Amino acid sequence: MEKTNKMTTGKVSGIIANLVYVEVDGPVQQNEICYIDLEGTKLMAEVIKVMGTKAYVQVFESTRGLKMHNKVEFTGHLLEVTLGPGILSKNYDGLQNDLDKMEGVFLQRGEQTNPLEDDKKWEFKPIAKEGDILQAGGWLGEVTENWMPHKIMVPFKFKGKYTVKSVAKEGKYTIKDVIAVVTDEEGKEIELTMTQKWPVKLAIKAYKEKPRPFKLLETGVRVIDTLNPIAEGGTGFIPGPFGTGKTVLQHALSKQAEADMIIMAACGERANEVVEIFTEFPELIDPRSGRKLMERTTIIANTSNMPVAAREASVYTAMTIAEYYRAMGLKVLLLADSTSRWAQALREMSNRMEELPGPDAFPMDLPAIISSFYSRAGFVYLNNGNTGSITFIGTVSPAGGNLKEPVTESTKKAARCFYALSQQRADSKRYPAIDPLDSYSKYAEYAEVEEYFRKKIDPEWPEKLSLLRNVLTRGREVAEQINILGDDGVPVEYHVTFWKAEVIDFIILQQDAFDEVDSSTSLERQKYMVNKVLDIYHTKFSFESFEEVATYFKRVINQMKQMNYSEFESDKFKQNEKELKTIIDEKKAE
């Protein structure tokens, strides 16, 4: 049934926590926004199910005090975000309210803020000119947001082709000023400003469908770039129990990854973890520009004490903003922490609607929901020939570190990279605590990726990585045998095998996120150090006892650590390398 000009209204007919039943007097649609009147306070809600004259709506705020027959007004539009200059450096909640504009310690019910600054003037530079033919996402002009180029685009909801009739001259304008006039295929004139709105649960499409070449996203984290690489525009996730270093790893990726813009989605986090993001991120220095990292970052914050419905909205809001910046030809890195709490919100709402439960009471279609969301990331060719990308890395917080639970298993099917954080590695202070053998990158399995590595890094790179994994596997097996039989219960060669694996662990897998040099490692340096540890693996040593093996390899590891802490190919680096050669020659077999 098509909607009429008259807005649909309704009355509350049932309340189950944040799920409210509404008897409606007209047509409503899935995901439509409505407002429930609670004694003058407007509570925002979203339609999640429609059955006859009854609409099931999830309320984004507390329903305390809500009563039967409270009035409900439907807006006729879906849950949307406002897109335009001024998003960078902002702290939003899941509904894109500007948290810095809100007063008090706690969010007030019914309080909404403008996500952008209506009165701020931006220096506009036209890109399009009169007579140009543009489609949705076409670039009209550009403003400088902080120090990033922010493209002003034809609204994404426009269909067909549009002819530019006029574009504003270079100068200062607010986001409400008309900066262009276009005509559609029927000759109708449309005035455009710097802003537009887009429903968060509909993917933005302003690009062409065509195959693309593989390109590695360099993160500076050795255990990722070397052993489990992620593609630009790729997807990955980081499961791990509490205390295994998810937050520090995300901070490292934010600072060092080869991305133009960072979006942090704190989805259902505990309040203290969100406070850490708000206090630490503004202080982080961007190593690429020397400026504050926050200048190219947007935070979508949603704490665990907020209603569960707001958690669901936050991840979609973050992804939609990422798609907006991707359409500008930028590389966007989207980090979500934690998608487990998003899934928990889905479970709670599903249970309240009395739907048939799946494993652990999660919705039956949880794998499809997660896959659909992850599929919105990717590398794209824009209609104007430029490229943009969204690389999405989510974290999962499985209860008790159980990696077999439904959220982890469902995410495994969607994400191409799996970075399993190990409690054992974290307890032994081996950070980042990514288990090199349980983790994987499906990108490494593709023939074109293997070819990319052979051309860009090393002709024998795939074979060297395979050897690294084999050495680590053998080292773990030997460690278990030593634990069972004792140090003197196995041959000396077993100890040598174990310690050669430890060299790889300490020098390649482990990394100091707080050291200025070791926190980020270039691909060239990673290649150099991988060759160095493999040279040691291939070297034959002569030892009299297992005690001698441990003492010797600890010296080797300490010397190579000094190389990791030195600027690559500096005098200090070369001196440490020279000293390492001296140590190796001491025990090299004749």
Side-chain angles (χ1 to χ4, degrees):
M1 181 177 178
E2 292 186 2
K3 291 188 70 76
T4 62
N5 292 330
K6 179 179 176 291
M7 287 292 101
T8 300
T9 60
K11 291 184 179 181
V12 173
S13 62
I15 306 167
I16 305 176
N18 284 89
L19 179 65
V20 175
Y21 301 154
V22 180
E23 283 291 336
V24 298
D25 63 5
V28 295
Q29 59 181 323
Q30 187 83 2
N31 302 125
E32 183 175 350
I33 292 299
C34 63
Y35 289 93
I36 304 175
D37 190 343
L38 175 59
E39 298 176 354
T41 300
K42 301 289 186 180
L43 304 184
M44 188 176 179
E46 178 189 20
V47 176
I48 55 176
K49 186 177 181 181
V50 181
M51 292 186 66
T53 60
K54 182 178 289 186
Y56 296 71
V57 304
Q58 58 177 353
V59 185
F60 294 116
E61 303 183 74
S62 171
T63 55
R64 187 185 296 266
L66 201 61
K67 300 175 183 178
M68 299 286 284
H69 305 300
N70 280 117
K71 293 182 178 180
V72 183
E73 296 179 354
F74 292 82
T75 62
H77 62 79
L78 309 183
L79 179 62
E80 299 172 328
V81 288
T82 302
L83 304 171
I87 294 175
L88 287 182
S89 303
K90 285 293 178 66
N91 299 316
Y92 292 126
D93 70 358
L95 303 177
Q96 210 194 5
N97 288 306
D98 189 340
L99 295 175
D100 295 325
K101 294 177 182 176
M102 294 185 168
E103 297 180 359
V105 176
F106 298 100
L107 302 181
Q108 301 299 315
R109 282 200 301 184
E111 184 180 5
Q112 295 179 19
T113 63
N114 188 349
L116 303 177
E117 314 301 327
D118 290 342
D119 55 351
K120 182 174 180 178
K121 291 196 172 184
W122 301 87
E123 188 68 42
F124 175 79
K125 296 179 181 178
I127 294 176
K129 59 184 182 299
E130 184 180 344
D132 284 354
I133 306 296
L134 299 177
Q135 297 173 261
W139 297 351
L140 296 165
E142 178 181 296
V143 301
T144 300
E145 184 181 12
N146 292 342
W147 52 274
M148 298 280 293
H150 185 116
K151 300 296 189 296
I152 307 302
M153 294 175 276
V154 175
F156 299 116
K157 65 182 179 181
F158 281 23
K159 295 181 180 179
K161 296 182 179 181
Y162 293 79
T163 304
V164 178
K165 183 177 181 182
S166 64
V167 180
K169 296 179 180 179
E170 184 173 340
K172 293 187 176 182
Y173 303 89
T174 68
I175 59 175
K176 288 188 172 183
D177 291 333
V178 175
I179 52 90
V181 177
V182 298
T183 56
D184 61 16
E185 292 170 345
E186 297 177 355
K188 181 182 177 182
E189 292 187 4
I190 305 169
E191 294 183 341
L192 302 178
T193 66
M194 294 190 193
T195 65
Q196 57 178 302
K197 291 182 179 289
W198 188 261
V200 299
K201 294 184 179 178
L202 296 178
I204 291 174
K205 186 172 181 181
Y207 52 86
K208 299 176 181 177
E209 298 286 354
K210 58 186 287 191
R212 66 170 181 87
F214 172 84
K215 185 179 180 184
L216 177 69
L217 178 77
E218 293 188 43
T219 67
V221 180
R222 293 190 290 269
V223 69
I224 293 179
D225 291 348
T226 298
L227 287 177
N228 302 294
I230 186 169
E232 180 190 332
T235 56
F237 78 113
I238 308 170
F242 178 78
T244 51
K246 293 192 290 291
T247 302
V248 175
L249 181 55
Q250 283 198 326
H251 284 197
L253 293 172
S254 300
K255 284 199 301 183
Q256 296 147 201
E258 190 183 8
D260 298 315
M261 181 193 175
I262 311 297
I263 298 179
M264 286 286 298
C267 174
E269 288 297 285
R270 288 179 289 272
N272 62 320
E273 293 174 326
V274 174
V275 168
E276 282 184 14
I277 293 175
F278 284 146
T279 55
E280 292 179 14
F281 251 76
E283 300 302 319
L284 294 178
I285 300 298
D286 181 2
R288 297 173 61 192
S289 66
R291 303 164 70 105
K292 294 289 186 181
L293 182 65
M294 194 65 195
E295 291 184 16
R296 60 182 180 95
T297 301
T298 297
I299 297 175
I300 313 294
N302 173 250
T303 59
S304 55
N305 63 337
M306 291 181 182
V308 293
R311 299 185 198 176
E312 185 193 8
S314 61
V315 295
Y316 288 107
T317 296
M319 181 60 81
T320 305
I321 292 174
E323 289 172 326
Y324 175 59
Y325 280 90
R326 176 175 65 182
M328 299 179 195
L330 299 178
K331 301 175 186 177
V332 182
L333 175 62
L334 173 56
L335 302 169
D337 186 12
S338 135
T339 54
S340 289
R341 289 164 184 143
W342 167 45
Q344 289 166 9
L346 296 173
R347 175 171 63 184
E348 289 191 37
M349 297 310 298
S350 175
N351 293 346
R352 288 169 188 170
M353 290 195 296
E354 300 180 352
E355 294 178 342
L356 185 67
D360 287 6
F362 284 103
M364 289 288 288
D365 58 349
L366 180 66
I369 295 173
I370 292 176
S371 295
S372 176
F373 183 77
Y374 271 76
S375 69
R376 290 174 66 171
F379 180 102
V380 301
Y381 288 94
L382 306 179
N383 290 325
N384 58 16
N386 289 279
T387 62
S389 65
I390 299 173
T391 305
F392 177 56
I393 301 178
T395 66
V396 176
S397 306
N402 174 25
L403 299 185
K404 298 296 182 183
E405 54 87 41
V407 181
T408 305
E409 287 294 307
S410 299
T411 310
K412 265 187 178 182
K413 299 173 184 176
R416 309 305 293 170
C417 294
F418 175 64
Y419 302 119
L421 295 181
S422 162
Q423 186 70 63
Q424 183 180 359
R425 288 185 66 81
D427 291 343
S428 59
K429 307 303 179 188
R430 299 188 177 209
Y431 290 110
I434 296 175
D435 190 302
L437 301 181
D438 289 345
S439 304
Y440 61 77
S441 170
K442 291 183 180 178
Y443 296 109
E445 301 171 1
Y446 302 148
E448 60 267 32
V449 175
E450 182 178 314
E451 183 182 353
Y452 173 89
F453 288 146
R454 293 189 190 280
K455 288 183 177 179
K456 297 285 186 179
I457 304 176
D458 187 323
E460 299 179 355
W461 192 246
E463 289 77 17
K464 290 179 178 179
L465 297 187
S466 178
L467 179 56
L468 281 179
R469 290 192 182 88
N470 291 338
V471 175
L472 291 168
T473 302
R474 181 59 182 150
R476 185 173 292 185
E477 293 170 350
V478 168
E480 292 174 356
Q481 291 176 299
I482 293 174
N483 286 335
I484 295 171
L485 301 176
D487 287 332
D488 54 355
V490 297
V492 173
E493 289 76 18
Y494 277 47
H495 288 274
V496 174
T497 300
F498 167 73
W499 278 102
K500 284 183 175 180
E502 286 290 271
V503 170
I504 295 173
D505 194 324
F506 276 91
I507 304 308
I508 303 299
L509 305 185
Q510 296 180 47
Q511 202 163 345
D512 189 342
F514 301 101
D515 181 78
E516 187 175 343
V517 175
D518 196 39
S519 60
S520 179
T521 306
S522 67
L523 211 55
E524 181 186 5
R525 181 169 184 155
Q526 291 183 43
K527 169 187 169 182
Y528 190 90
M529 295 307 291
V530 164
N531 288 333
K532 187 64 66 177
V533 296
L534 288 180
D535 285 344
I536 292 174
Y537 167 73
H538 290 298
T539 301
K540 293 186 177 181
F541 297 95
S542 176
F543 297 102
E544 297 294 330
S545 65
F546 69 83
E547 292 98 337
E548 192 179 0
V549 176
T551 302
Y552 175 78
F553 275 102
K554 285 178 182 178
R555 289 176 59 203
V556 171
I557 290 171
N558 287 334
Q559 193 60 47
M560 295 193 78
K561 275 189 172 183
Q562 296 307 310
M563 292 175 66
N564 279 346
Y565 288 134
S566 306
E567 290 286 352
F568 186 45
E569 295 186 331
S570 65
D571 292 340
K572 185 179 178 182
F573 180 89
K574 292 176 181 177
Q575 180 61 34
N576 286 321
E577 187 176 20
K578 185 177 180 181
E579 293 174 11
L580 172 66
K581 184 178 183 306
T582 302
I583 294 173
I584 292 174
D585 289 343
E586 289 178 12
K587 291 295 180 180
K588 185 184 290 187
E590 296 296 333

